[in-house]
Amino acid sequence: MTTVLGIESSCDETAAAVVQHDGVVLSDVVRSQIAAHAPFGGVVPELAARDHLRAIVPVVLQALGEAGLRLAEIDAIAVTHRPGLIGALLVGVQAAKGLAWASNRPLVGVDHLVGHLLSPFLQRAGVVSELPVFPFVGLLVSGGHSAIYRCEGPEAEQMHELGATRDDAVGEAFDKVSKLLGLGYPGGPVIDRLARVGVPGRSFSLTAPMAQRDSLELSFSGLKSAVARKVADQPPESDEAVADVCATFQRVVVDTLVTKTIRAARRENIPNVVIAGGVACNSELRRSMAAACEQRGLRLFLPAPRTCTDNAAMIAYAGAVKFRLGQTSGFDLAPLTHTELPRVTRKGRGPRKP
Ligand code: KG4
Ligand code: ZN
């Protein structure tokens, strides 16, 4: 059995985990910086980097301790080295290099997006989950990324972007809408909660973005601006009216994500669907995607909410896959802001010409 220590510091979670190559999670420590960023309504890169620096050593020690293993008993050290905030990534990468050097263990650089797409393979104690089957269509929706992939296998070269957001990520749109409604950060969980008591279209209406039939591209900044304009024109004056804005916004977003994912599965003729990333915690997205997949005879693999948001267990698992394929990294491993998965959608500039 291969056992890997994973380290994650690409955004606002300092995380470390120990995972076996079969996906069994031995420990999974996530230290969130939400409280530090909340007053600013979003992640402040400089604050994130400094906070990672304070947290990284205790978090790694806790992950090893909870797994009941010493560094000498670990087979490899995996770390997110792209994409993310450069100062934040640097902390995890340097920590991983130091540990790998000191323990004479191989270092494995992992792309954060590959980690998210492989996250449904994690197996947690007490949670029975069906393991995904390749090929699958993967909808990755988080605070920094939103895209649909065709995944033919667990390696980055086997993951192909079918369409991505042209502008904001979905989670970013949730966070911005929450901020303009004065609901705080992060916005996803609070909008999810309020949407349950609101009624879509009752006292507020919106039109779906990028609804063109064929496109697998996404766009959320126009939708966010539409919410901002309408709220400025007619501020919601009761809790019920605020809940209606949340419910309407969430309904439009979820409908768009479900429609595009189903379209991708059909177009690619793939019967398996995975959703991943922080927004995959959204209760309406989970429910609607499950219903749409069932209706069309598609199999949906839904990771546990803890697996959807940023964590190091998915990085350790992706690292174990690479390590077993002999894909280790040198000590020149550098943090990078962009993913290694080739893009087909150009941010802000429409589809890439072949
Ligand atoms: O994957 P993640 O933890 O970090 C990134 O890689 O970005 O995703 C964080 C994002 C935030 O924008 C947060 O608002 C969103 O996921 N999120 C949700 C929910 N829970 C978290 N969005 C919608 N509904 C939720 N229940
Ligand atoms: Zn993420």
Side-chain angles (χ1 to χ4, degrees):
M1 187 65 72
T2 305
T3 307
V4 174
L5 168 68
I7 295 176
E8 157 65 39
S9 70
S10 64
C11 190
D12 61 343
E13 266 91 22
T14 318
V18 179
V19 174
Q20 295 178 175
H21 80 263
D22 59 2
V24 170
V25 178
L26 302 181
S27 68
D28 178 21
V29 180
V30 179
R31 185 185 170 283
S32 170
Q33 302 180 349
I34 283 177
H37 301 289
F40 305 96
V43 178
V44 183
E46 182 66 21
L47 273 184
R50 288 168 189 266
D51 204 58
H52 284 308
L53 206 48
R54 278 189 288 271
I56 194 82
V57 172
V59 164
V60 167
L61 292 177
Q62 190 181 339
L64 287 169
E66 287 180 11
L69 294 173
R70 287 173 297 118
L71 205 48
E73 295 168 291
I74 297 288
D75 295 300
I77 296 165
V79 63
T80 304
H81 76 114
R82 67 193 300 182
L85 303 169
I86 208 79
L89 287 166
L90 197 56
V91 176
V93 168
Q94 293 304 100
K97 282 184 189 174
L99 290 166
W101 177 267
S103 63
N104 199 22
R105 290 287 171 271
L107 179 71
V108 186
V110 169
D111 189 296
H112 183 82
L113 305 192
V114 174
H116 272 302
L117 287 167
L118 295 181
S119 66
F121 288 96
L122 293 176
Q123 298 183 59
R124 298 178 182 278
V127 185
V128 183
S129 52
E130 224 188 332
L131 296 185
V133 179
F134 290 111
F136 61 74
V137 163
L139 171 70
L140 171 47
V141 274
S142 72
H145 313 278
S146 295
I148 304 172
Y149 297 91
R150 174 191 173 95
C151 299
E152 284 156 13
E155 297 180 60
E157 304 77 73
Q158 296 171 297
M159 298 175 173
H160 309 282
E161 185 192 291
L162 299 172
T165 182
R166 285 190 185 180
D167 39 62
D168 290 356
V170 195
E172 199 178 347
F174 269 96
D175 295 339
K176 287 178 177 168
V177 166
S178 175
K179 189 173 180 179
L180 70 89
L181 289 171
L183 299 173
Y185 171 84
V190 66
I191 290 180
D192 192 349
R193 187 163 42 78
L194 291 179
R196 281 175 214 162
V197 291
V199 178
R202 178 169 56 185
S203 58
F204 193 78
S205 63
L206 287 169
T207 36
M210 303 285 285
Q212 305 97 304
R213 270 209 77 69
D214 284 344
S215 171
L216 291 176
E217 294 189 336
L218 302 159
S219 167
F220 297 99
S221 90
L223 183 67
K224 169 208 66 195
S225 304
V227 177
R229 256 193 325 271
K230 290 191 163 206
V231 165
D233 283 353
Q234 247 186 331
E237 272 160 10
S238 62
D239 289 352
E240 191 183 271
V242 171
D244 283 350
V245 177
C246 293
T248 308
F249 167 74
Q250 181 172 284
R251 172 63 56 83
V252 170
V253 169
V254 167
D255 281 353
T256 307
L257 295 176
V258 171
T259 306
K260 304 254 167 168
T261 306
I262 299 292
R263 185 179 298 161
R266 282 219 176 134
R267 184 186 292 178
E268 299 295 311
N269 199 18
I270 290 179
N272 307 306
V273 174
V274 156
I275 61 176
V279 181
C281 292
N282 186 269
S283 58
E284 190 175 342
L285 177 61
R286 295 171 83 87
R287 214 174 29 247
S288 299
M289 193 70 86
C293 286
E294 197 186 326
Q295 212 178 21
R296 290 162 183 84
L298 303 168
R299 278 173 83 188
L300 176 65
F301 300 90
L302 263 180
R306 189 187 165 94
T307 297
C308 294
T309 46
D310 279 353
N311 64 82
M314 66 187 193
I315 303 305
Y317 179 76
V321 169
K322 287 185 83 169
F323 172 66
R324 288 169 67 86
L325 289 163
Q327 298 171 7
T328 55
S329 309
F331 281 108
D332 56 351
L333 182 72
L336 295 164
T337 53
H338 288 87
T339 175
E340 70 184 292
L341 303 181
R343 293 233 160 104
V344 295
T345 300
R346 281 204 266 192
K347 268 203 157 185
R349 281 193 282 170
R352 207 178 272 282
K353 303 269 185 308

